[in-house]
Amino acid sequence: MAGQCDSSSSEKKSSEAMNDVPTFSTENMQNNMKVIYYSRTFMSIIGGVIAGILGFTGFMGFIFYFLVMAITSIGLIAKAKFSVHLYFDSWNRIILDGFMGGLMSFVLFWTFAYDIVHIF
Amino acid sequence: MAEDLVLDTAIRDWVLIPLSVVMVLIGILRYFVSKLMRSFQVPDPKIVKEGHIHLFSSFTFRQVIVRARNLRGAANFIPPKSFRSRRVYFSNEKNLSMIIPQTLTFAWVNFFFSGFVAAKIPFPLTQRFRSMLQNGIDLSTVDVSYVSSRSWYFLNLFGLRGLFSLILGEENAMDDTQRMMQMGGFGFDPSKSLTAEKDGLDIVQHEWALPKFEHRAEAVLKKLVS
């Protein structure tokens, strides 16, 4: 975007700091949102399987889910090289987006793995 | 005092795994059918403009989804009243085409997989959920964590959406079930009008920032040339 051929990285710059009014490229924004969503979903599934195999029950499992989400957020922030405002329009997106959808996938795969391993 | 029931291995083999596999396959089938329909059918602008009466003659599930997507994409270019009437029609049609496969699968699950404990959910729930989660099981002393296959179906329904978005590469039609759950057409309304308003706002801001773009373009070109 704007002359920078950054196609090698998976997150694209969505705003330029030179303007007074920050304008966002919606296409890049959507691409970044998609990246976050895919990362969270994938980590939720993996986290669910791990929680099931390790035998977490009840509260421990949900704490593990929050832990996995926090690790995902940190990973995403690190990938954005800690300058979040270049890639997203607010902090909430990179931290909270996709939380609920990931929770359902986590619970499904947690239940599945737990049953297969422990009640088989 | 959670007594640990020992459940038959055959339940795992013949209930949990087949149910999940069937739901995944139905989702994949739905996706490919919609892709096929899209490649066959280029949406005819005359039919879309002419009104709802003619649309019933060319009715298939997947066409509706394709045309609804086009409507969403071009929503800002048509007057708001016609947009709203089209949106109501499309939300009705899309809800129908989503409900029917789900209803069929639900009926199949209820018919074949009822009357026994299917799975144990790893977290405890209160007694109030017992009637919802254990409807095939008539013993009231069994822990609420042991659920019937109907609840396994619902768990799959919500949890497989994430998996579909991963393996099918894009936000396919499954994400509309979320809006459908939120009170049918009501959840549809605010998001659409909000998007329209946000687009309008973006355009207004864009005009004001125009003078700066000349400087930016000049700087960029200078960088490219030098």
Side-chain angles (χ1 to χ4, degrees):
Chain A
M1 176 194 165
Q4 310 195 18
C5 309
D6 231 358
S7 52
S8 56
S9 67
S10 58
E11 286 185 346
K12 310 211 185 107
K13 284 205 202 283
S14 59
S15 76
E16 286 293 332
M18 276 196 269
N19 280 348
D20 288 354
V21 176
T23 55
F24 296 105
S25 154
T26 42
E27 190 186 307
N28 288 352
M29 276 282 292
Q30 279 178 0
N31 184 54
N32 295 347
M33 286 301 123
K34 241 195 284 186
V35 166
I36 293 181
Y37 182 70
Y38 286 161
S39 311
R40 281 200 191 279
T41 308
F42 187 67
M43 291 296 290
S44 305
I45 293 179
I46 302 282
V49 174
I50 291 179
I53 292 179
L54 289 181
F56 290 144
T57 56
F59 212 45
M60 275 289 295
F62 288 111
I63 291 185
F64 185 71
Y65 176 65
F66 286 129
L67 200 66
V68 167
M69 283 295 113
I71 292 177
T72 312
S73 292
I74 292 177
L76 285 169
I77 292 177
K79 174 74 178 175
K81 301 188 195 67
F82 294 100
S83 55
V84 174
H85 290 288
L86 270 183
Y87 294 101
F88 306 99
D89 56 352
S90 79
W91 274 100
N92 290 341
R93 295 208 183 257
I94 202 172
I95 293 183
L96 292 181
D97 196 39
F99 205 76
M100 282 298 130
L103 184 67
M104 297 310 305
S105 300
F106 174 81
V107 167
L108 171 69
F109 281 92
W110 180 24
T111 307
F112 194 55
Y114 182 81
D115 280 352
I116 285 188
V117 171
H118 291 269
I119 312 202
F120 219 110
Chain B
M1 40 158 231
E3 70 277 4
D4 254 356
L5 286 184
V6 175
L7 298 174
D8 195 356
T9 308
I11 297 182
R12 302 299 155 266
D13 294 340
W14 296 104
V15 173
L16 289 195
I17 296 179
L19 191 50
S20 298
V21 165
V22 162
M23 293 186 73
V24 168
L25 288 179
I26 287 183
I28 295 179
L29 187 70
R30 208 198 310 219
Y31 172 73
F32 279 124
V33 169
S34 76
K35 230 166 77 151
L36 267 178
M37 281 296 142
R38 213 176 303 171
S39 65
F40 278 156
Q41 165 95 359
V42 178
D44 195 349
K46 203 164 68 143
I47 293 185
V48 173
K49 279 199 178 87
E50 235 157 26
H52 318 295
I53 311 169
H54 299 285
L55 290 173
F56 279 110
S57 56
S58 60
F59 172 65
T60 50
F61 292 155
R62 309 303 157 208
Q63 279 178 16
V64 170
I65 296 179
V66 169
R67 287 208 302 268
R69 285 235 175 88
N70 286 336
L71 173 68
R72 246 196 276 171
N76 292 317
F77 299 114
I78 60 178
K81 218 181 288 185
S82 53
F83 169 62
R84 277 196 203 101
S85 59
R86 285 200 191 109
R87 187 180 58 196
V88 166
Y89 168 73
F90 276 130
S91 57
N92 290 340
E93 293 287 2
K94 245 195 314 193
N95 287 344
L96 276 180
S97 74
M98 197 67 57
I99 285 177
I100 288 189
Q102 283 183 5
T103 312
L104 284 177
T105 313
F106 187 55
W108 175 70
V109 167
N110 269 346
F111 179 66
F112 280 109
F113 302 124
S114 58
F116 57 90
V117 170
K120 178 181 194 292
I121 50 179
F123 48 94
L125 288 173
T126 63
Q127 296 297 317
R128 277 185 298 152
F129 288 98
R130 182 184 289 273
S131 62
M132 186 164 53
L133 297 176
Q134 280 189 348
N135 37 29
I137 308 162
D138 294 325
L139 307 168
S140 56
T141 54
V142 175
D143 217 351
V144 190
S145 297
Y146 293 95
V147 299
S148 68
S149 35
R150 193 190 286 194
S151 45
W152 178 247
Y153 167 75
F154 281 118
L155 202 60
N156 269 329
L157 190 65
F158 291 123
L160 285 177
R161 280 184 291 148
L163 187 68
F164 283 141
S165 70
L166 276 183
I167 61 179
L168 297 180
E170 63 174 35
E171 299 262 359
N172 56 353
M174 284 300 279
D175 66 350
D176 296 322
T177 55
Q178 191 184 20
R179 276 189 231 135
M180 187 181 77
M181 293 304 159
Q182 301 171 15
M183 296 183 276
F186 195 63
F188 218 21
D189 274 13
S191 66
K192 284 310 151 223
S193 50
L194 270 177
T195 338
E197 292 196 41
K198 194 184 80 137
D199 286 350
L201 257 178
D202 278 352
I203 294 176
V204 169
Q205 263 190 348
H206 187 77
E207 299 213 23
W208 187 75
L210 263 184
K212 300 276 180 182
F213 281 8
E214 293 177 350
H215 296 284
R216 250 186 55 192
E218 179 191 341
V220 165
L221 284 174
K222 234 186 272 182
K223 225 190 325 180
L224 274 179
V225 164
S226 63

